[in-house]
């Protein structure tokens, strides 16, 4: 996360922008002990031997790996 330098004097508007940026970044981080929902994003797995990349997908309840 790249945040701008703080103003020399306290600025309530700057604090609102800072808090909004921190809250947005927090929403986009993965938390331990919580469900993980990727939505439209894909889970990409890399084969440690061949280096091939696979996307984990679910279609009609069937979990499959397809080349990414």
């Amino acid at each position: 996360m790249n945040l701008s330098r703080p103003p020399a004097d306290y600025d309530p508007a700057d604090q609102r922008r800072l808090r909004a940026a921190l809250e947005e970044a927090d929403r986009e981080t993965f938390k331990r002990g919580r469900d993980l929902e990727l939505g439209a994003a894909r889970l990409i797995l890399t084969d440690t031997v061949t280096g091939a990349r696979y996307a984990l997908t679910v279609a009609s309840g069937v979990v499959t790996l397809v080349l990414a």
Side-chain angles (χ1 to χ4, degrees):
M1 173 188 312
N2 293 322
L3 299 174
S4 61
R5 296 183 61 92
D9 296 320
Y10 177 78
D11 179 5
D14 179 67
Q15 283 295 304
R16 283 191 296 276
R17 287 189 299 272
L18 171 64
R19 290 169 193 269
L22 292 172
E23 288 172 359
E24 175 66 21
D26 183 61
R27 279 190 295 275
E28 294 184 9
T29 60
F30 298 116
K31 308 287 191 296
R32 290 180 184 217
R34 293 189 188 175
D35 290 347
L36 171 63
E37 184 172 336
L38 297 177
R42 300 183 308 163
L43 177 61
I44 304 296
L45 303 170
T46 303
D47 186 311
T48 58
V49 175
T50 66
R53 293 169 33 102
Y54 297 92
L56 184 69
T57 62
V58 179
S60 298
V62 177
V63 177
T64 60
L65 285 176
V66 294
L67 282 172

